Amino acid sequence: MADQPLWHGRFEASPAEALMMFTESLSFDQKLWRDDIIGSIAHVKGLAHAQIISEAESDKVISALNTVAQEFNDGKFVFVASDEDIHTAIERRVTQLAGDAGAKLHTGRSRNDQVATALRLWCKRELTNIAQLTLALCDVFNKRAQEFGWGSDGVYLPGYTHMQRAQPVLLAHHFAAHAWAMLRDVDRLTQTIERLDVSPLGAGALAGSSLPLDADFVATELGFARRFNNSLDAVSDRDFVAEALFDLALIGVHLSRLGEEWVLWTTQEFSFAVLDDAYSTGSSMLPQKKNADIAELARGKSGRLIGNLTGLLATLKGMPLAYNRDLQEDKEPLFDSVNQVALALRALAGMISTAKFNTSTMQSAADSELLGATDLAEWLVAQGMPFREAHAHVGALVSKSIRDSVPLSQLVTDDKKLGDKAAELLKPGVGVKRRTTKGGSGPVPGATQAIELSAALTVMHARVATFNAPQTNS
Ligand code: ARG
């Protein structure tokens, strides 16, 4: 009965339209068609393996499932009004195609373990895709770092704390800071994927089945690393969705910080970077405008990514064991976050790889003598002065320089404790070369970091490549 839901057996009346409209998930879970079919094929093979159905029946259902996959691929699958979600739609069609054999597809299975299986398969593929896109952005940063140089002639800019100019840093070091943060994002995604690599198939509605199903067999068929240990947990666990949403929200937060930086860098006031026309937008009214909308949306969309995570956590907190329909609310935030982060990563990679930099503007901003104040204090420390005293001594010169509008270098030259040699430290491009701390910004530690970053990227590329080749389903 195509006009009745699959579960209509114990009902006398048809479902109200308002019920169907409110409870359906087909409008958004169609994305899962491929994963549902893959899960169903494994389930059918499992039924034959356990001799619950015959090989002939199994072949018939699998061929029907393949036909359905073809229909989806060709955009020819036809839904009917009673299709509540992608799972019931596919089962209905398989039964139509395979007759009595098709009616055996759902043996020993519930939509509860079915949907958990499909969603884990979807996550494995899509999170791998996000990991690759994140790595691609890391690669852009690494390339641009190499382009602007880690050596003593590397381009530098002011480093900021509290958004106040602090000390000059290499542009390469600045780019690499973003790459290291995003490498952690990729690492986090790989750990999330490893943790979610568990097959829930066989858990049934909540308690397993009295039929001789082999949960290990189907887990292996599906390429999962292991099967569930507890059926109640298997059908109610959405930790993996929450983790994925956290990973995506944190990527979103990183991209938002990056966006804010690029909004600033492309202002006339900063003028550090100029966006390629292909990666900037115009104004409908102001003909002269060239806006950094990618950067702004990277910043703006972090709000909904955080919202998707907190929304799901709020849904989960009230769940008694085991499956509750509330869990259907896991999909929209997940699909949305995956989609938005993928779009943002692609757009930012394009924006950053094509941008031009006003390196002379950056460097002259960093050449302000005041940015050498710490070098002066450290110079005094090297002469044996306690740091606190050195800090106060240089601070007093800075104050006098500002108050009397005298260049700091002149005051330093005239100073008994500092003098000519110390004044050299304030010359353009000197300070940035002096920092030698491992992991610090300077050509000496920079040479090491350049190698460390490239090596970390190579390791992570190899790691992500061990996951299933991603093929986006969206
Ligand atoms: N569409 C449902 C979901 O996404 C599938 C599971 C429905 N299970 C049930 N017992 N009604 O969660």
Side-chain angles (χ1 to χ4, degrees), residues 23 25 28-29 84-85 87 110-112 115 238 323-325 327-331:
T23 60
S25 55
F28 50 86
D29 67 15
E84 192 180 61
D85 55 25
H87 319 290
S110 157
R111 264 186 299 159
N112 300 352
V115 68
R238 293 295 183 275
Y323 178 85
N324 304 279
R325 192 64 179 268
L327 294 178
Q328 181 169 290
E329 287 294 299
D330 57 0
K331 284 167 211 66

Side-chain angles (χ1 to χ4, degrees), residues 360-441:
S360 56
T361 307
M362 284 181 166
Q363 299 204 153
S364 31
D367 284 337
S368 153
E369 290 187 334
L370 294 183
L371 274 71
T374 312
D375 292 296
L376 294 175
E378 288 180 354
W379 191 86
L380 288 170
V381 166
Q383 316 298 307
M385 188 184 281
F387 178 73
R388 195 45 63 211
E389 204 182 305
H391 184 281
H393 189 81
V394 176
L397 292 181
V398 166
S399 159
K400 190 172 162 53
S401 156
I402 295 168
R403 191 178 60 238
D404 301 346
S405 301
V406 186
L408 182 62
S409 50
Q410 192 182 314
L411 298 177
V412 170
T413 308
D414 298 344
D415 187 86
K416 282 204 299 293
K417 295 196 166 120
L418 288 157
D420 281 349
K421 268 222 166 108
E424 291 287 309
L425 303 178
L426 302 182
K427 295 236 164 88
V430 173
V432 72
K433 298 190 189 65
R434 287 175 51 82
R435 276 168 288 278
T436 50
T437 320
K438 287 175 187 162
S441 176

